[in-house]
Amino acid sequence: MNEEVRLTAWVRGQVQGVGFRWFTRAKALEIGGLSGFALNLDDGRVQVVAEGRRAGAQGLLDWLREGDTPGRVDGVTEIWDTPRGIYDTFAIR
């Protein structure tokens, strides 16, 4: 569980215009050790990219799926990959 990973998640539902990216960033910073970003997509989804330890990324994914998020999450699709190491912090884009 200590391996470094890259999580990319696409969150569907009412997730734009409700502070979702801000709360996602706050959760990533609360978990600690994660860098990446949250980005509104043109199709209404939010893309979340998080790099760090697998346990932290899994915690963020669990929160995206079942946590007390703003708006309404209808579903989350994710892929796991090797981290690229290009992010200094967790940002809102």
Side-chain angles (χ1 to χ4, degrees):
M1 278 301 248
N2 285 336
E3 71 177 310
E4 295 285 317
V5 297
R6 176 186 177 93
L7 165 69
T8 303
W10 295 270
V11 185
R12 301 180 309 280
Q14 182 186 352
V15 291
Q16 291 190 10
V18 294
F20 192 88
R21 293 176 301 154
W22 187 91
F23 277 93
T24 299
R25 178 181 181 272
K27 187 64 175 182
L29 295 175
E30 176 187 316
I31 290 170
L34 295 175
S35 59
F37 63 88
L39 169 72
N40 282 344
L41 299 176
D42 291 340
D43 63 5
R45 296 178 299 163
V46 170
Q47 180 183 17
V48 178
V49 174
E51 292 187 354
R53 296 202 183 267
R54 180 173 288 278
Q58 184 64 56
L60 183 61
L61 179 62
D62 292 345
W63 178 82
L64 291 170
R65 286 198 166 125
E66 302 167 8
D68 186 19
T69 62
R72 183 191 75 247
V73 174
D74 293 336
V76 180
T77 303
E78 90 275 359
I79 59 170
W80 296 88
D81 202 353
T82 304
R84 298 180 188 162
I86 58 176
Y87 309 110
D88 292 326
T89 187
F90 201 95
I92 296 171
R93 291 189 177 172

